[in-house]
Amino acid sequence: MTRLLLRIVNLVGLAVSSMMLVDYLRPLPVFCDAAAGCGLVRQSRWASFLGIPTPAFGVAFFTLALVLAAWPARRLLVYWAGAGALAAVSFISLQLFVIKAVCPYCMGADASAILLYVLALAARDDRAAVTSSARSTLAALGVLAAAAPFAVERVVAKPAPPAQAVVAPAYPPVVAREAKPGWVTVVEFVDFECPYCRRLHQEIKDAVAQFSGAVRVVRKHNPLVTLHKNAMDAARAACCGEEQGKADEMAEALFSAPPDDIDADGCEKLAANLGLDMARYRECIASKRPDERIAADLRDAESAGIAGVAPVFWVGEQKFEGARPASIIRQALLAAK
């Protein structure tokens, strides 16, 4: 019975980790609420390590544990499960005391890792043989647990039949609503740590400086948290700078600072250097307002047909992807005038 429970818990942990990995690889999650605890954890700096989405480590952990559970010697499984349980306790502590938001799926995976360790300890002296058919069944169930969430994601994201297909327009409503009579509006979806976004920022500045008309730049946040460890901190800081009427100044500071210096502490220093009211800034950072704003921008990104790409921007009704040179942006400004 202990061995059966151990395998069931292992498969559950693998399936939940795979579900989270699906969500972390998409602009908006499939399984959890982007504006709730899941979304807040997903948007935190702990969402990836070394550029790898955190759930990928969970998938790797439970996969190897499943392999070890298929062999009669249980000592290696005890050691491996013990390391996983220690990591799980650390992740739970991060959610409760650092991020201050709880992701039910993360908790499910962490609880599975801890319970797996307990069951591995209970079965550590069990040296009963495991038949080849049992191993084959376990392997098949493992593949199913890992692959099923990706299959569900494909079904959810599958477009409707051609007659009913909804195609993102070249000039999406989320962009059109930012237009203002008498102005040429530039709408960009940015990641402050992205090197291409940084280059584009300077190109837009140069193009606007050469343009004689009225231009307004609207920035929407599209932090690629699985690639850029400080992107979410920077986006949150930008939201709080905007609350104090210094959106452009904060954006300039974030784009100009070295990428490693736009973590939470670095952003606070930038805010202080800009003369922001630091009590208001800290209150904003501690609140959920920046996360709600970022979640709304991510929904706008998805409705505009943007999937994990930065930078993407519109000049009037003309769409661009990537860091285009100032000369091209200026021509677009002239065309939209």
Side-chain angles (χ1 to χ4, degrees):
M1 178 60 74
T2 301
R3 288 170 58 186
L4 176 61
L5 286 175
L6 185 149
R7 292 169 181 174
I8 291 173
V9 169
N10 201 332
L11 290 168
V12 169
L14 178 57
V16 174
S17 296
S18 187
M19 291 168 68
M20 289 193 297
L21 182 57
V22 168
D23 279 357
Y24 278 51
L25 292 175
R26 299 187 79 252
L28 286 176
V30 171
F31 298 102
C32 70
D33 186 351
C38 276
L40 296 178
V41 174
R42 177 176 172 270
Q43 294 167 7
S44 74
R45 71 173 70 181
W46 309 104
S48 66
F49 290 92
L50 303 175
I52 302 172
T54 304
F57 294 99
V59 171
F61 166 75
F62 286 110
T63 298
L64 182 54
L66 200 63
V67 172
L68 295 175
W71 299 95
R74 299 286 186 266
R75 295 290 177 174
L76 284 177
L77 177 60
V78 171
Y79 298 143
W80 182 245
L86 182 61
V89 170
S90 300
F91 284 126
I92 290 173
S93 299
L94 280 172
Q95 291 181 72
L96 295 177
F97 305 115
V98 179
I99 305 173
K100 297 182 179 178
V102 173
C103 166
Y105 292 97
C106 302
M107 285 293 189
D110 293 335
S112 296
I114 294 170
L115 184 55
L116 182 67
Y117 176 54
V118 173
L119 293 170
L121 280 174
R124 66 185 181 278
D125 295 322
D126 183 355
R127 296 181 178 274
V130 181
T131 65
S132 59
S133 61
R135 288 190 181 124
S136 298
T137 300
L138 197 57
L141 290 173
V143 171
L144 179 62
F150 287 90
V152 171
E153 186 269 340
R154 288 183 66 85
V155 171
V156 171
K158 185 178 180 180
Q164 303 175 0
V166 177
V167 180
Y171 191 38
V174 297
V175 177
R177 74 183 182 214
E178 301 294 346
K180 185 176 179 181
W183 293 73
V184 176
T185 302
V186 177
V187 178
E188 57 173 333
F189 288 83
V190 301
D191 174 322
F192 287 103
E193 191 175 351
C194 166
Y196 303 104
C197 294
R198 289 169 160 254
R199 186 188 310 166
L200 175 64
H201 173 70
Q202 186 59 51
E203 299 292 346
I204 290 178
K205 279 178 59 180
D206 293 345
V208 170
Q210 300 167 14
F211 183 66
S212 59
V215 182
R216 56 193 295 266
V217 177
V218 177
R219 296 181 189 86
K220 292 183 176 291
H221 302 291
N222 185 30
L224 307 181
V225 295
T226 58
L227 297 176
H228 304 135
K229 63 180 180 178
N230 294 328
M232 184 54 62
D233 284 330
R236 299 183 84 251
C239 292
C240 293
E242 185 175 359
E243 279 196 4
Q244 296 193 37
K246 293 198 174 184
D248 290 340
E249 294 87 344
M250 194 63 173
E252 178 69 28
L254 290 167
F255 279 129
S256 300
D260 289 339
D261 291 351
I262 55 173
D263 57 4
D265 291 338
C267 288
E268 181 164 319
K269 292 176 183 176
L270 294 177
N273 291 338
L274 290 174
L276 269 63
D277 182 325
M278 296 310 295
R280 287 179 58 194
Y281 176 84
R282 293 187 183 108
E283 183 278 328
C284 173
I285 288 293
S287 74
K288 293 186 177 181
R289 296 195 301 277
D291 301 305
E292 291 168 352
R293 161 66 188 280
I294 294 165
D297 284 354
L298 288 171
R299 287 192 291 271
D300 285 349
E302 186 167 52
S303 70
I306 299 170
V309 178
V312 178
F313 66 103
W314 276 260
V315 178
E317 298 184 13
Q318 193 171 355
K319 179 183 177 182
F320 297 91
E321 292 185 5
R324 299 301 183 94
S327 58
I328 291 179
I329 298 172
R330 183 173 178 272
Q331 289 176 7
L333 290 170
L334 290 169
K337 187 174 179 180

